[in-house]
Amino acid sequence: MTAVRIIPCLDIDGRKGVVVKGVNFQGLREVGDPIELAMKYDDEGADELVILDITASIEDRPTFLKVVKEVATSVSIPVTIGGGVRSLEDADKLFKAGADKVSINTAAVKRPQLVEELARQYGSQSTVVAIDAKRIGSRYKVYIKSGGTPTDLDAVVWAVKAADLGAGELLVTSIDKDGTRSGYDIELLRAISSSVTIPIIASGGAGEMRHFYEGALAGAQGLLAASLFHFGIIKIRELKEYLASRGVEVRLDYD
Ligand SMILES: O=C(O)c1ccccc1NC[C@H](O)[C@H](O)[C@H](O)COP(=O)(O)O
């Protein structure tokens, strides 16, 4: 079994080039400098980083690209970049800035062909489809535009389609759980991990070590968190030792 990956997420306000954090995608407040946090997490044993420009707008692009370049040259671990990627040209700028993988969300829902184009141009291993979902009754609905716009898409149906189109992995975020530290949405993760064969990254809600264990048991190969790490609630090495003690394979060979 491949080792699960512990993935801190830096949500960036593209206008100011700072890391922000909210709850349920609302009430964003500044929590730190992207380079400092990225280097700290790399030193502490993070396996990858996700950097999302959650205010993505055309005029903020240069600031965000500068952050990407600085982070990518400051850490030794893979970096997935997302937020406002609308075209192959946008993706190309991020790869040139140092992204190892590019994540697409709204643009993929609007034009699913973009997933296939990205996978063909850069390889599935560099193509991540981010899915932001809200629970509606017993189902999960896909939201786009930074969680602000509901779609008619069922999250599991969309996950299967994205995988069929060539996505190399899925970044599955529960909007309901984001920032709450009450745990991942395990039912959402199980529904998607049992429907696709590509790796999924659990996102939204991690609040204590047990939640990461539950996410791994639910079939997530990537375990992402933002609040938990930004607010210093747990250290990555302690988390990895906890998971290893419960039989979850993690990368511990770093110092
Ligand atoms: O993904 C977005 O578009 C977006 C927009 C506005 C605010 C937050 C957003 N995403 C939430 C991030 O993916 C967030 O890092 C994850 O949900 C993990 O958050 P935690 O629950 O704090 O670990």
Side-chain angles (χ1 to χ4, degrees):
M1 185 179 93
T2 49
V4 295
R5 293 166 277 150
I6 301 301
I7 307 174
C9 183
L10 306 185
D11 300 315
I12 306 289
D13 176 327
R15 288 176 296 259
K16 303 177 196 155
V18 295
V19 181
V20 293
K21 190 65 205 94
V23 178
N24 303 132
F25 288 28
Q26 303 293 325
L28 301 177
R29 60 191 178 90
E30 191 173 329
V31 292
D33 173 78
I35 316 314
E36 279 173 26
L37 283 172
M39 291 174 74
K40 171 174 171 282
Y41 296 141
D42 184 15
D43 291 346
E44 288 179 359
D47 297 298
E48 286 185 26
L49 293 176
V50 166
I51 302 177
L52 288 180
D53 179 355
I54 56 173
T55 58
S57 58
I58 303 296
E59 62 269 15
D60 302 328
R61 269 286 165 238
T63 306
F64 184 62
L65 279 174
K66 184 170 173 290
V67 168
V68 170
K69 281 191 183 99
E70 288 174 355
V71 170
T73 50
S74 306
V75 300
S76 59
I77 50 179
V79 180
T80 297
I81 310 290
V85 180
R86 296 176 177 77
S87 64
L88 285 178
E89 292 74 25
D90 286 348
D92 196 54
K93 283 182 188 143
L94 293 174
F95 284 116
K96 285 195 169 78
D100 298 283
K101 295 184 257 186
V102 163
S103 163
I104 49 177
N105 186 328
T106 300
V109 170
K110 288 188 166 179
R111 197 171 71 80
Q113 218 40 46
L114 179 60
V115 179
E116 197 170 40
E117 290 166 7
L118 261 177
R120 193 180 314 119
Q121 179 89 4
Y122 299 102
S124 288
Q125 79 291 342
S126 298
T127 303
V128 179
V129 170
I131 301 174
D132 295 340
K134 256 188 196 170
R135 189 187 180 99
I136 311 286
S138 62
R139 314 285 295 181
Y140 291 94
K141 178 177 278 203
V142 174
Y143 276 63
I144 55 174
K145 292 200 171 64
S146 292
T149 306
T151 71
D152 294 332
L153 265 180
D154 176 273
V156 180
V157 169
W158 173 230
V160 170
K161 184 170 180 184
D164 289 346
L165 284 164
E169 69 185 3
L170 301 174
L171 170 51
V172 179
T173 296
S174 161
I175 299 173
D176 307 298
K177 305 288 266 176
D178 168 65
T180 63
R181 287 186 267 167
S182 60
Y184 294 119
D185 186 324
I186 295 301
E187 212 174 307
L188 170 63
L189 295 173
R190 275 211 191 98
I192 292 181
S193 67
S194 58
S195 304
V196 299
T197 55
I198 57 174
I200 67 168
I201 299 169
S203 168
E208 54 186 88
M209 294 201 227
R210 176 172 56 87
H211 296 154
F212 291 84
Y213 179 60
E214 291 165 356
L217 290 187
Q221 285 85 2
L223 301 168
L224 179 149
S227 311
L228 196 60
F229 295 134
H230 298 342
F231 302 140
I233 296 161
I234 59 166
K235 291 287 177 219
I236 294 171
R237 172 164 280 280
E238 287 164 14
L239 171 60
K240 286 191 165 186
E241 286 164 356
Y242 166 85
L243 290 170
S245 71
R246 279 158 180 73
V248 177
E249 195 176 337
V250 288
R251 176 179 69 97
L252 281 169
D253 61 346
Y254 56 85
D255 258 324

